[in-house]
Amino acid sequence: MSGRKFSLGLDYGTNSVRTVLVDVANGEEIATDVHEYETGEGGIILDPSDHNLARQNPADYLKGLQDSLKEVLSQARKADKDFDPEQIIGIGVDTTGSTPIPVGNDGTPLAMLDEFRDNPNAHAWLWKDHTGHAEAGEITQLAEKEHPEYLAKCGGTYSSEWFFSKILHCLRTDPKVFDAAYTWVEHADYMTALLTGTTDPRKLKRCRCAAGHKAMVNANWGGYPAKDFLAKLDPKLRQLRETLGDKTYAIDQKAGDLTEEWAGKLGLKAGIPVAMGAFDAHLGGVGSGISIGKLVKIIGTSTCDMAVWPADKDLADVPGICGIVDGSILPGFWGLEAGQSAVGDIFNWFVNYIQPGGKAVGSHEALTEKAAKLKPGQSGLLALDWNNGNRTILVDQRLTGLLLGQTLHTTPEEIYRALIEATAYGALTIINRFEEYGVKISEVINCGGIAEKNPLIMQIYADVIGREMKIARSAQTCALGSAIAGAVVAGSVAGGYDNYADAQAAMCGMKDTIYKPIPENNKVYQQLYPLYKQLHDAFGLGSFSGKMANVMKQLLQIKDSVKA
Amino acid sequence: MSGRKFSLGLDYGTNSVRTVLVDVANGEEIATDVHEYETGEGGIILDPSDHNLARQNPADYLKGLQDSLKEVLSQARKADKDFDPEQIIGIGVDTTGSTPIPVGNDGTPLAMLDEFRDNPNAHAWLWKDHTGHAEAGEITQLAEKEHPEYLAKCGGTYSSEWFFSKILHCLRTDPKVFDAAYTWVEHADYMTALLTGTTDPRKLKRCRCAAGHKAMVNANWGGYPAKDFLAKLDPKLRQLRETLGDKTYAIDQKAGDLTEEWAGKLGLKAGIPVAMGAFDAHLGGVGSGISIGKLVKIIGTSTCDMAVWPADKDLADVPGICGIVDGSILPGFWGLEAGQSAVGDIFNWFVNYIQPGGKAVGSHEALTEKAAKLKPGQSGLLALDWNNGNRTILVDQRLTGLLLGQTLHTTPEEIYRALIEATAYGALTIINRFEEYGVKISEVINCGGIAEKNPLIMQIYADVIGREMKIARSAQTCALGSAIAGAVVAGSVAGGYDNYADAQAAMCGMKDTIYKPIPENNKVYQQLYPLYKQLHDAFGLGSFSGKMANVMKQLLQIKDSVKA
């Protein structure tokens, strides 16, 4: 056994769980495994008659944990012949969210009971489940009237993706499930409770990240929303509120120690400290080296855009972002979360649903190659990136896509590029919103598959956003962030770190490639963006900065100027 | 030789010339031939670097005439063993337009001279050539200032598709061609002049239809626009004006008699009367049985929508339509022309350029079959039918397409249906415009390939427009209309007719199938159309009837209501 110390990061994503074993000294990932969930389509339980529904089977989370750990330990032994599980000093966990799970009196997910095994409502309500959109509207309306402060910290609108929208929708549409649930537990909290033997709802520790960003928890009003407020939505929510407690735990806190039982199942040493959970994007921010002035964009099917701001400095309530929560990303900082409801999913829609030119001609690779040859503005096309609604800054999941400027000669690659550009405009809109409220963004760090693999998209982002695009070194920034959380709860005594700054300095890094704005492209995008903003405000807010008729004509003028 | 009498109809379309030999007694088409033009792509000379350019080779018109006549006469002999070309009593000709041809001092198209053989500017400027869009704007502006009456009869805007826009563009961009041309002759006038030996520009008869609809000719100001007006656009146009004369000839007038030379070339008897030419759509109206209250829609790559109104009754200047011309369709009636710049071309674009699902899956047939299963409103999509601009009622060729309402689940067939619906909304907008100005439309007669072959499109039109859709009996209504013109200039003495009413009563008919509006579909389209109109007015005129933000949300409400 060498002197190396390792931390284990578990990252529960939308379709799979990734597990990494990281060298605490330098962030080296010595073993990585990706385990796909087994239930449903790509791990998601769908309803063909209701596109809003997206659920997961909690049993997949457990199976994934065990299979993945076995693989990672086996890889670790191959990578380092001296490797011993005893060298693992901490465990961190991140998950998607808000992904609440209804659990029984003893903390068992209802989906694991025979009675509810086939009922999607008894399963985990995945972050992208939008069945509660009517309830979200109801919660927003009531909060606007009675507790506007609840909304101020989460962008001004309560989303259908969030905790209470989902629970209230279950209460309204499947009271049998609601009544059978003792309480509802976020996926992240369920995992840390399981590993530390605290699934009993009376012992459960709930993480600050999920509670603050998705459940209107804030120290100003002593935690979760008031009982009377929830009771006005439905009297039964008063009772639910009782089960939630008032205390939540930030990311630098320990959830507990690994139990004998799970140590045995996983082949680990009992007693390893387990950090409080957090959402994948927040720990992805940590793993990407987030700090003041650095926006971390985690680009996948959707994006999360993360920023931090010192907790002891003034910060306005930024309208339209998904939350401002003390300690949700880094202790001692406000964690600010924003995001786009679909990015990669829009490109996937075009390739998989529209299938331009058929499967061979219309692949991402083929379209990217052709789209790369187009100049900004050349197609005369302009799109809105709302095929899955708009998370930030409009917080409206029911918005839809728009494509404008088609002629009889418009090609698939032109549309593909217009969709990429639309997501870049959406990204710029978020950055502008941060800066309008004083959160200066001087640097953009990207991570996720698209950031790593698609230079065209990154170059367009640099050109549209007018800032350098950097790429985080790790391909698994969320899991790395979890491992960092594990190293911090272990502390320096155990060979870890006593604070995040030290841990990030040692364990994070950037790739060498930096995408810099090309001035002539940026110049065209500076003409195009105001047109996007005009459509954005007209269709998103009903407000206009000019005549809509100009949008089509100005696009053609830009097209002509690009040609010349 | 039996007692049957025949009339010959020549129909010069965008890609081919169709020739029909028609029994004057009952309209029976005993011989038909379609001859594809040979030059360019589908008979059109294109410029890959300028999508606005579309030209044709005048030599193709002559070749087509000879080859096609030979084939028709041969078919006629097979169909009727007693057939003798002596039985042909009249000839009518229609062409596309405005399709002006620059000709030399002796009337020979410049394109037939060695010097200009390879210069597209010396060829026929096909109706859909939009290279003169800047010049169209210039003409409109000057007319608005100095002669608003010129515009009042052609919808308020002078189009880039029309006579003077094209000629002025040639003058500006290729003065060598302009200077070499003694005058410019519409394709229709060139054909009748050729057959009757009057190609000499000093003898040439110009038809009322082309002159009135496309060249601002009107009896109120004594024919073509004033010399001073044209000279202000460019001094050289004064000289051109001299060559145009002042007299134009309506459709019931004779252009002349078939010359010995052409009779010999075509295998016909010399001296057969040739009717004045007209545009294909106008004679298509005639061949479809047009009369008061009946709108004839000729649906192909684009549409022409034709109506008539008694010349002795009051008629307002209808803004946005392509012309109100005395005798352009039927003698004694105002001929009203409107149209959509693209209909079939939009569906072709989607199938041929976007190729959803590849060629096998994304054919018109496959998409139509799937689209037919969708209910109105179900997709949540809404499109504007402007991929090739908007001819009526906005008269703006530079407008572009729009698709709204996409989600991550939107399918090709949903888009295909939305594009069909968009063209139906465009068709309804034209009908509404006619009726707003007192031209009541009680019946819609459709003709052209789409009307004959696509029941889904016709049913959607019935459902959207809220009127019965009838289909003209003839598959060649334009050529039939030309044959009717031939029968009328022949007169009853020769076995033809002395007026159009008698000729149409004998020679036109409807198919048995009538598409009737389905009330429940019509009800949904009555909700959707105001949303289309809102986009139409916002993007086309810059005016709003409400908040654009409502458009997306109301589509979803309709979608939800359709599902329930």
Side-chain angles (χ1 to χ4, degrees), chain B residues 52-65:
Chain B
N52 290 314
L53 189 143
R55 307 287 159 79
Q56 285 187 327
N57 186 352
D60 286 352
Y61 304 151
L62 276 59
K63 177 86 169 13
L65 177 60

mmCIF file of all heavy atoms in Angstrom, chain B residues 52-65:
data_model
loop_
_atom_site.group_PDB
_atom_site.id
_atom_site.type_symbol
_atom_site.label_atom_id
_atom_site.label_comp_id
_atom_site.label_asym_id
_atom_site.label_seq_id
_atom_site.Cartn_x
_atom_site.Cartn_y
_atom_site.Cartn_z
ATOM 1 N N ASN B 52 -31.882 34.280 -56.808
ATOM 2 C CA ASN B 52 -32.946 35.093 -57.399
ATOM 3 C C ASN B 52 -33.065 34.918 -58.909
ATOM 4 O O ASN B 52 -34.062 35.302 -59.499
ATOM 5 C CB ASN B 52 -32.705 36.572 -57.098
ATOM 6 C CG ASN B 52 -32.934 36.889 -55.626
ATOM 7 O OD1 ASN B 52 -33.937 36.457 -55.071
ATOM 8 N ND2 ASN B 52 -32.017 37.609 -55.010
ATOM 9 N N LEU B 53 -32.009 34.377 -59.519
ATOM 10 C CA LEU B 53 -31.970 34.330 -60.976
ATOM 11 C C LEU B 53 -32.680 33.096 -61.536
ATOM 12 O O LEU B 53 -32.469 31.980 -61.075
ATOM 13 C CB LEU B 53 -30.507 34.369 -61.443
ATOM 14 C CG LEU B 53 -30.281 34.532 -62.950
ATOM 15 C CD1 LEU B 53 -29.056 35.417 -63.196
ATOM 16 C CD2 LEU B 53 -30.109 33.198 -63.650
ATOM 17 N N ALA B 54 -33.553 33.309 -62.554
ATOM 18 C CA ALA B 54 -34.248 32.202 -63.240
ATOM 19 C C ALA B 54 -34.546 32.655 -64.667
ATOM 20 O O ALA B 54 -35.331 33.568 -64.874
ATOM 21 C CB ALA B 54 -35.530 31.850 -62.494
ATOM 22 N N ARG B 55 -33.897 32.010 -65.610
ATOM 23 C CA ARG B 55 -34.060 32.402 -67.023
ATOM 24 C C ARG B 55 -34.436 31.175 -67.849
ATOM 25 O O ARG B 55 -34.293 30.039 -67.397
ATOM 26 C CB ARG B 55 -32.739 33.008 -67.559
ATOM 27 C CG ARG B 55 -32.186 34.145 -66.708
ATOM 28 C CD ARG B 55 -32.972 35.444 -66.835
ATOM 29 N NE ARG B 55 -32.755 36.330 -65.697
ATOM 30 C CZ ARG B 55 -31.674 37.107 -65.512
ATOM 31 N NH1 ARG B 55 -30.721 37.139 -66.418
ATOM 32 N NH2 ARG B 55 -31.577 37.863 -64.436
ATOM 33 N N GLN B 56 -34.904 31.431 -69.081
ATOM 34 C CA GLN B 56 -35.197 30.328 -69.994
ATOM 35 C C GLN B 56 -34.642 30.636 -71.373
ATOM 36 O O GLN B 56 -34.471 31.803 -71.740
ATOM 37 C CB GLN B 56 -36.712 30.090 -70.066
ATOM 38 C CG GLN B 56 -37.227 29.405 -68.820
ATOM 39 C CD GLN B 56 -38.681 28.989 -68.908
ATOM 40 O OE1 GLN B 56 -39.477 29.661 -69.548
ATOM 41 N NE2 GLN B 56 -39.015 27.884 -68.261
ATOM 42 N N ASN B 57 -34.432 29.566 -72.102
ATOM 43 C CA ASN B 57 -33.902 29.700 -73.450
ATOM 44 C C ASN B 57 -35.055 29.763 -74.460
ATOM 45 O O ASN B 57 -35.787 28.783 -74.630
ATOM 46 C CB ASN B 57 -33.006 28.500 -73.757
ATOM 47 C CG ASN B 57 -32.314 28.642 -75.092
ATOM 48 O OD1 ASN B 57 -32.606 29.567 -75.865
ATOM 49 N ND2 ASN B 57 -31.393 27.731 -75.370
ATOM 50 N N PRO B 58 -35.258 30.894 -75.169
ATOM 51 C CA PRO B 58 -36.373 31.003 -76.109
ATOM 52 C C PRO B 58 -36.345 29.903 -77.175
ATOM 53 O O PRO B 58 -37.411 29.516 -77.686
ATOM 54 C CB PRO B 58 -36.177 32.384 -76.752
ATOM 55 C CG PRO B 58 -35.350 33.155 -75.776
ATOM 56 C CD PRO B 58 -34.479 32.148 -75.083
ATOM 57 N N ALA B 59 -35.174 29.398 -77.503
ATOM 58 C CA ALA B 59 -35.102 28.324 -78.499
ATOM 59 C C ALA B 59 -35.874 27.092 -78.029
ATOM 60 O O ALA B 59 -36.426 26.340 -78.837
ATOM 61 C CB ALA B 59 -33.643 27.966 -78.774
ATOM 62 N N ASP B 60 -35.925 26.876 -76.697
ATOM 63 C CA ASP B 60 -36.691 25.743 -76.162
ATOM 64 C C ASP B 60 -38.175 25.871 -76.499
ATOM 65 O O ASP B 60 -38.875 24.867 -76.650
ATOM 66 C CB ASP B 60 -36.542 25.667 -74.633
ATOM 67 C CG ASP B 60 -35.171 25.153 -74.193
ATOM 68 O OD1 ASP B 60 -34.399 24.708 -75.061
ATOM 69 O OD2 ASP B 60 -34.890 25.198 -72.980
ATOM 70 N N TYR B 61 -38.651 27.096 -76.548
ATOM 71 C CA TYR B 61 -40.079 27.309 -76.835
ATOM 72 C C TYR B 61 -40.428 26.831 -78.250
ATOM 73 O O TYR B 61 -41.479 26.242 -78.475
ATOM 74 C CB TYR B 61 -40.441 28.798 -76.698
ATOM 75 C CG TYR B 61 -40.123 29.440 -75.365
ATOM 76 C CD1 TYR B 61 -39.818 30.805 -75.282
ATOM 77 C CD2 TYR B 61 -40.142 28.704 -74.176
ATOM 78 C CE1 TYR B 61 -39.549 31.415 -74.060
ATOM 79 C CE2 TYR B 61 -39.862 29.311 -72.950
ATOM 80 C CZ TYR B 61 -39.563 30.670 -72.900
ATOM 81 O OH TYR B 61 -39.299 31.270 -71.705
ATOM 82 N N LEU B 62 -39.520 27.099 -79.192
ATOM 83 C CA LEU B 62 -39.757 26.724 -80.589
ATOM 84 C C LEU B 62 -39.636 25.226 -80.789
ATOM 85 O O LEU B 62 -40.477 24.597 -81.439
ATOM 86 C CB LEU B 62 -38.761 27.446 -81.507
ATOM 87 C CG LEU B 62 -39.147 28.871 -81.932
ATOM 88 C CD1 LEU B 62 -39.335 29.789 -80.739
ATOM 89 C CD2 LEU B 62 -38.090 29.451 -82.873
ATOM 90 N N LYS B 63 -38.574 24.685 -80.199
ATOM 91 C CA LYS B 63 -38.353 23.238 -80.284
ATOM 92 C C LYS B 63 -39.555 22.503 -79.688
ATOM 93 O O LYS B 63 -40.070 21.530 -80.258
ATOM 94 C CB LYS B 63 -37.067 22.896 -79.521
ATOM 95 C CG LYS B 63 -36.715 21.427 -79.437
ATOM 96 C CD LYS B 63 -35.941 21.004 -80.661
ATOM 97 C CE LYS B 63 -35.304 19.627 -80.616
ATOM 98 N NZ LYS B 63 -35.665 18.696 -79.594
ATOM 99 N N GLY B 64 -40.017 22.978 -78.536
ATOM 100 C CA GLY B 64 -41.150 22.361 -77.840
ATOM 101 C C GLY B 64 -42.403 22.398 -78.688
ATOM 102 O O GLY B 64 -43.168 21.429 -78.752
ATOM 103 N N LEU B 65 -42.609 23.527 -79.349
ATOM 104 C CA LEU B 65 -43.788 23.694 -80.194
ATOM 105 C C LEU B 65 -43.812 22.644 -81.296
ATOM 106 O O LEU B 65 -44.815 21.940 -81.505
ATOM 107 C CB LEU B 65 -43.742 25.107 -80.788
ATOM 108 C CG LEU B 65 -44.828 25.528 -81.759
ATOM 109 C CD1 LEU B 65 -46.187 25.455 -81.105
ATOM 110 C CD2 LEU B 65 -44.563 26.963 -82.256
#
